[in-house]
Amino acid sequence: MRDETLWWDEERGSLFLVNQTQLPSRYEVVECRNVERLAEAILCLEVRGAPALGVSGGYGVALAARTSTTTSYSQFLEELERQAELLKATRPTAINLSWGIDRVLDRVNRENTLQNAKKAALDEAQRIAWEDADTCVAIGAMGATLLPDGCTVLTHCNAGALACTRWGTALGVIRSAIIMGREIRVIASETRPLLQGARLTAWELARDGISVTVIPDSAAASLMRKGEIDVVLVGADRVTEEVVFNKIGTYMHAVTAHHHQIPFYVAAPLSTFDPVSKEKEVMIEERGEEELRLCGDRIVIPENAGVRNPAFDATPLSLVTGIITEREVFFPPLDIPRILSAQPPL
Amino acid sequence: MRDETLWWDEERGSLFLVNQTQLPSRYEVVECRNVERLAEAILCLEVRGAPALGVSGGYGVALAARTSTTTSYSQFLEELERQAELLKATRPTAINLSWGIDRVLDRVNRENTLQNAKKAALDEAQRIAWEDADTCVAIGAMGATLLPDGCTVLTHCNAGALACTRWGTALGVIRSAIIMGREIRVIASETRPLLQGARLTAWELARDGISVTVIPDSAAASLMRKGEIDVVLVGADRVTEEVVFNKIGTYMHAVTAHHHQIPFYVAAPLSTFDPVSKEKEVMIEERGEEELRLCGDRIVIPENAGVRNPAFDATPLSLVTGIITEREVFFPPLDIPRILSAQPPL
């Protein structure tokens, strides 16, 4: 079992992913030899999580470059653009996917030969992956001191190693705090409908020997009332000056944490920050009804009842105590253009 | 398909129940010929819902009386007490179960021959069932005007016909408002882990042609923020002077409704009121881990992760706008001993 969630195989010229739809029952690896297979993997959530989608986007352009057979440089660039659009359309809410794609496209566009461009695409994708791993460790270091020794942390969905190249954002902060010697217990809300909290967060924390207990999403507020949750810590799919977009249920946890005066932290790389979009301009992905209509093979909602299945929600920054990034912990309000234009520390 | 959720069959001398574990896929009826079979039905949730448990408790004593073979009156009373204890232990949180049992036992204890006592047990159980149906219609009438025309009501779990003899408490209020000519749309939170909102509430509302949409429990807060929920309306398993005990997730809806200044109503018969118990004295039933560990046949939580599965939570009355009963709508704070000792209107 590898430490990484996704990696490039030089020999085969393909991207490998841990298939997250099979966990926790089976650890299975998927090989993506072209953009179409990667798009499928993203659509059916074999790979998911905002940072991992950023890395996947980068590798997607590298795959497009590797599989291109044209000898015309301009045609090559056109092909890459087309494949990039296909990839971007798979999941519209997380900003990281298009961020990773655009970063590799920009790099390719700065080259001047086909040969160089192909090499540059892979170089830049690899760089994104390495940076992602480093970024998570930096996020962990920035956030670890926010978790008091002996505390119980509620997390939602999976903002862990499986959502990144490795280590994780929210779960990375927990790992870093534990490495510092702090005792941390984790409560994972199961995260309906696809149960990423149960299937993925519980799996990767238990694998690492970290204490984790799964609860129904709806039980978190009640545990807060009983004083059994000290901190809430989640990831993010997109951070704007107004709101944090993250897995459906994040807003519920934020409101109930606020009601109980429990700190609510978001851990996310700066690549998740969106300096431009207004909340209403961001499309919230509505996923298929069958995710709720079926439980295993069993129909649990009658045909003549409606279903709504939004994948994400938006949490106003007024409910967020702090946003833990690789550079520092930001306390809202945020001036995102200024944050993004500032020089990173050496 | 009958209108009732449970009924006594004179000829067979047994209690019939709609098997709620098989809905919405299959409408199936279960025959309980003795207390053991009824206890099993309660334990595995073939019958559930506070008012229906009250009626079941009453019929349970009637079953014990019918199946008793002793000719000694004192032995008969002892047997009934023993069977009553067995029944009461099946589900400790809802007060109605023991309320129904005790009401029939009290009636039996006022008789003086075995013959009369057996007849009295069934008479009283039937009376509880009829009263429950009448009570729901009265709750409906009391609450209907609280639902504005054109409003969208969020409900949780199933406080419907399936939780009572017929009509329902929370869903009874909705049915009554619709009969009054109001247009009401219902959003049902699916209610993890056993999905009573999806399986039961959606089924009975859709069957009656009432507009119902199922959402994950965790999406309710986000819909409130978007202004898509006008009223929250739930049932109750026990109402004390401090809190309302109801299905896990009720407290979450109450906190988020409060945050959005959305009225939060509880619909419950006076038999749900508990004038004595303090919150900490009421045992919150913790159900089996497998309800969360398995999704259909699939293991979704790894073995080495913990699970907590409380069936109920407690919502302080400060978060409750009003409690709709068969007599009137009470606005907290409540003086429950005084409410219960007051004479009902003629």
Side-chain angles (χ1 to χ4, degrees), chain A residues 233-267:
Chain A
L233 177 54
V234 297
D237 289 85
R238 187 188 291 249
V239 178
T240 74
E241 277 186 16
E242 306 160 313
V243 295
V244 172
F245 291 94
N246 194 45
K247 179 60 55 197
I248 188 77
T250 301
Y251 177 62
M252 154 194 82
H253 288 321
V255 169
T256 53
H258 180 77
H259 183 81
H260 296 92
Q261 299 178 286
I262 294 169
F264 181 92
Y265 291 106
V266 172

Side-chain angles (χ1 to χ4, degrees), chain B residues 5-26:
Chain B
T5 298
L6 69 179
W7 61 92
W8 184 264
D9 185 300
E10 283 285 355
E11 255 174 60
R12 298 186 59 84
S14 52
L15 177 65
F16 281 80
L17 314 164
V18 175
N19 183 350
Q20 304 195 28
T21 65
Q22 296 304 312
L23 290 171
S25 316
R26 208 160 68 240

Side-chain angles (χ1 to χ4, degrees), chain B residues 27-40:
Chain B
Y27 179 87
E28 178 189 285
V29 168
V30 164
E31 178 176 9
C32 300
R33 293 190 57 78
N34 52 47
V35 171
E36 288 72 19
R37 181 65 188 88
L38 175 60
E40 187 193 321

Side-chain angles (χ1 to χ4, degrees), chain A residues 27-264:
Chain A
Y27 179 87
E28 177 190 285
V29 168
V30 164
E31 179 177 9
C32 300
R33 294 190 54 78
N34 52 48
V35 170
E36 287 72 19
R37 181 65 188 86
L38 175 60
E40 187 193 321
I42 294 173
L43 270 175
C44 73
L45 307 187
E46 288 171 345
V47 61
R48 33 62 56 198
L53 288 175
V55 176
S56 300
Y59 278 130
V61 181
L63 274 176
R66 193 193 59 68
T67 53
S68 169
T69 52
T70 181
T71 51
S72 145
Y73 188 44
S74 65
Q75 219 168 39
F76 171 79
L77 292 179
E78 273 170 35
E79 259 181 36
L80 253 55
E81 285 288 350
R82 248 197 335 270
Q83 301 261 49
E85 288 313 308
L86 185 150
L87 263 187
K88 281 186 190 176
T90 52
R91 299 205 69 193
T93 309
I95 192 174
N96 311 58
L97 179 60
S98 50
W99 170 89
I101 291 168
D102 288 338
R103 192 170 137 179
V104 177
L105 284 180
D106 284 353
R107 171 73 189 279
V108 164
N109 281 312
R110 286 202 306 275
E111 301 299 326
N112 39 31
T113 70
L114 187 57
Q115 186 77 354
N116 287 351
K118 284 192 170 191
K119 186 173 177 309
L122 182 56
D123 278 357
E124 193 67 18
Q126 298 268 36
R127 187 180 303 267
I128 291 175
W130 295 327
E131 283 179 15
D132 180 68
D134 289 350
T135 295
C136 284
V137 172
I139 288 171
M142 289 294 164
T145 55
L146 299 171
L147 305 183
D149 189 27
C151 76
T152 299
V153 180
L154 170 71
T155 190
H156 187 60
C157 195
N158 174 266
L162 289 168
C164 308
T165 309
R166 56 182 295 275
W167 202 249
T169 52
L171 302 191
V173 172
I174 290 166
R175 288 190 170 91
S176 296
I178 289 171
I179 281 180
M180 283 171 61
R182 301 190 180 189
E183 195 192 313
I184 312 279
R185 283 181 303 279
V186 179
I187 292 181
S189 38
E190 59 172 356
T191 315
R192 285 284 292 160
L194 294 179
L195 304 171
Q196 294 92 334
R199 293 192 301 107
L200 307 179
T201 292
W203 178 80
E204 66 165 88
L205 292 180
R207 177 195 62 178
D208 292 358
I210 299 171
S211 159
V212 57
T213 300
V214 178
I215 60 169
D217 302 321
S218 65
S222 175
L223 292 184
M224 289 180 190
R225 178 165 179 262
K226 292 184 190 161
E228 298 190 32
I229 291 169
D230 303 302
V231 179
V232 183
L233 177 54
V234 297
D237 289 85
R238 187 188 291 249
V239 178
T240 74
E241 277 186 16
E242 306 160 313
V243 295
V244 172
F245 291 94
N246 194 45
K247 179 60 55 197
I248 188 77
T250 301
Y251 177 62
M252 154 194 82
H253 288 321
V255 169
T256 53
H258 180 77
H259 183 81
H260 296 92
Q261 299 178 286
I262 294 169
F264 181 92

Side-chain angles (χ1 to χ4, degrees), chain B residues 51-52 55 127-137 163-166 269:
Chain B
V55 176
R127 187 180 303 268
I128 291 175
W130 295 326
E131 283 179 14
D132 180 67
D134 288 349
T135 296
C136 284
V137 172
C164 308
T165 308
R166 55 182 295 275

